[in-house]
Amino acid sequence: MTNIGNLLTDAVTLMCTGMIVVFLFLTVLVYVVQLMSKLLPKESPPSFSTEPTMNQVSSSSLDPKVIAAISTAIHQYRTSSQNKTDKEI
């Protein structure tokens, strides 16, 4: 049977080796990320144009009945969800 001292020595050696490997990996990772942040250009926020695009629908092309139906549906939804929250309180 192997001596307990030898087993503890092997365990400590393995533990230290693992910690050193993790430390080296994380150190290299930090430096690689810093290098990438210096090499790659920074993102600029997207610019929003104020000009209407072709996908936008003008309000004159919508049927008034459709607008009325949407408004009624929104009103009913808001009143029903408000009633639900009132009952929960």
Side-chain angles (χ1 to χ4, degrees):
M1 185 166 191
T2 309
N3 188 2
I4 191 77
N6 290 339
L7 288 175
L8 287 176
T9 304
D10 290 343
V12 169
T13 304
L14 184 61
M15 179 186 67
C16 290
T17 303
M19 289 182 359
I20 290 171
V21 167
V22 169
F23 177 77
L24 290 175
F25 174 76
L26 292 176
T27 304
V28 169
L29 182 67
V30 166
Y31 285 119
V32 167
V33 169
Q34 286 179 351
L35 178 68
M36 285 176 52
S37 69
K38 290 179 182 177
L39 293 178
L40 297 176
K42 293 185 178 184
E43 290 186 30
S44 61
S47 62
F48 297 104
S49 65
T50 57
E51 298 176 15
T53 60
M54 296 300 232
N55 294 336
Q56 293 178 342
V57 178
S58 66
S59 61
S60 63
S61 68
L62 292 176
D63 187 16
K65 292 180 181 179
V66 173
I67 295 173
I70 292 171
S71 300
T72 305
I74 291 172
H75 177 71
Q76 286 179 352
Y77 173 76
R78 288 182 178 167
T79 56
S80 69
S81 63
Q82 185 179 22
N83 290 339
K84 288 179 184 177
T85 56
D86 290 342
K87 290 178 183 177
E88 290 175 358
I89 296 174

